[in-house]
Structure formats: C-alpha cells, structure tokens
Amino acid sequence: MSNERDQIDPERRYPAEGLLRVEENALRVLACLPASRLERTRDAIQIDFGDEDEGVTVLVTAETIELRLPTVEWTCGAYGPAGSSRRWKRIRPEAASDEELRDLVHQAMEARRAEFRPCKYCGQLFPPEHRTGKACYDCASGYEGVVY
C-alpha cells in the first residue's frame, strides 16, 4: 500500500489509514497513463499525460473521472495565451471497467489528434486554438492581413 500511496501522494501531505476513493480512482487512471504528471489537493487529483498540444488531462475526484483536452485561453487579448483544458467527457468511476477507462483515455487522445488541421499556406498541422479558419495565426497575419 505504501507504494500506491507514494504514487498518488508523493509528498505525504494527505495521510490516511487506507486509500480514499479519490486515490483509488486516480490509481485506476495512472494504470492507463503510467508516464504522467500528477498534482493534487485533498479532494482532487489532476493527471497530465503528453504535451500541451496532444496530451490529455484527467481530473479525478471521489465521484467523477473527467477527461479533458488541451486548449489555450487568451487572457489579455491576443498576446496573453495561457495553457488550459476543456472537458471532453465525464464519467462515474463505477460505471466503467478498467478496460473501458483505458479505451476512453485513448479515445480522448484520438479526439485531440483529430482536431489538428493543416494550414493552407505553410501546411503545418495546428489545433483549432492556433488557427483562424484554414490558416495558422502566423500565416493569417502574413497572407491575409489579420491583426492579433
């Protein structure tokens, strides 16, 4: 059990006799995403897998597992991009087997990859938050006169 607790509470900030439900749920997700980063509070655990463009974020509580896709929020007009995530799907942990959970994680990553489109000018792939119409932001500025 100490090995499991070390995975979900490496700083040992939330001692308990046994695993809390949020911790049990997080361990199920970690089994699907072994090379991920974890942050937590007492009642929620965030698991990030992959990079900011093509990864997946999973928010875990005692009652839900929420799969989230990366995005950007423009915080100060066009010049203040901040990494963020948006909900893709939320499930009750007891409603999905470990295999179904693993499939959902892979589906979320596929859904994110499917959002990328080539820029009509440079041909590079961009997610929707980094393009306007069919052009990436850089090419939209250079070829279409769009000002950000």
Side-chain angles (χ1 to χ4, degrees):
M1 166 118 75
S2 88
N3 186 29
E4 289 178 327
R5 176 142 319 270
D6 289 344
Q7 282 184 287
I8 52 176
D9 190 10
E11 297 171 357
R12 299 179 186 265
R13 291 176 48 197
Y14 306 99
E17 290 295 317
L19 292 173
L20 302 172
R21 281 190 13 219
V22 64
E23 295 169 334
E24 290 173 354
N25 294 340
L27 286 170
R28 290 181 62 202
V29 173
L30 286 172
C32 302
L33 301 170
S36 50
R37 297 171 308 284
L38 181 139
E39 295 179 42
R40 76 168 290 177
T41 63
R42 183 192 65 204
D43 299 320
I45 298 175
Q46 177 175 315
I47 299 167
D48 292 305
F49 179 78
D51 62 25
E52 292 179 3
D53 283 333
E54 297 186 47
V56 64
T57 295
V58 184
L59 293 181
V60 181
T61 68
E63 298 84 14
T64 64
I65 295 174
E66 185 172 290
L67 296 123
R68 301 180 63 83
L69 303 180
T71 192
V72 169
E73 290 187 34
W74 298 95
T75 58
C76 289
Y79 298 104
S84 188
S85 65
R86 66 189 190 288
R87 185 177 65 177
W88 179 73
K89 192 170 284 199
R90 181 182 297 154
I91 63 166
R92 290 186 339 272
E94 66 276 2
S97 68
D98 289 347
E99 185 176 321
E100 291 168 327
L101 180 58
R102 189 174 303 108
D103 288 344
L104 283 171
V105 167
H106 291 291
Q107 288 172 24
M109 289 187 283
E110 276 299 315
R112 178 59 177 166
R113 280 192 286 275
E115 293 180 337
F116 283 67
R117 299 282 184 273
C119 170
K120 70 180 183 178
Y121 297 106
C122 69
Q124 292 183 47
L125 294 173
F126 290 92
E129 64 271 13
H130 291 289
R131 63 178 197 264
T132 177
K134 295 183 178 186
C136 71
Y137 286 164
D138 286 343
C139 290
S141 292
Y143 293 103
E144 298 176 355
V146 177
V147 178
Y148 296 99

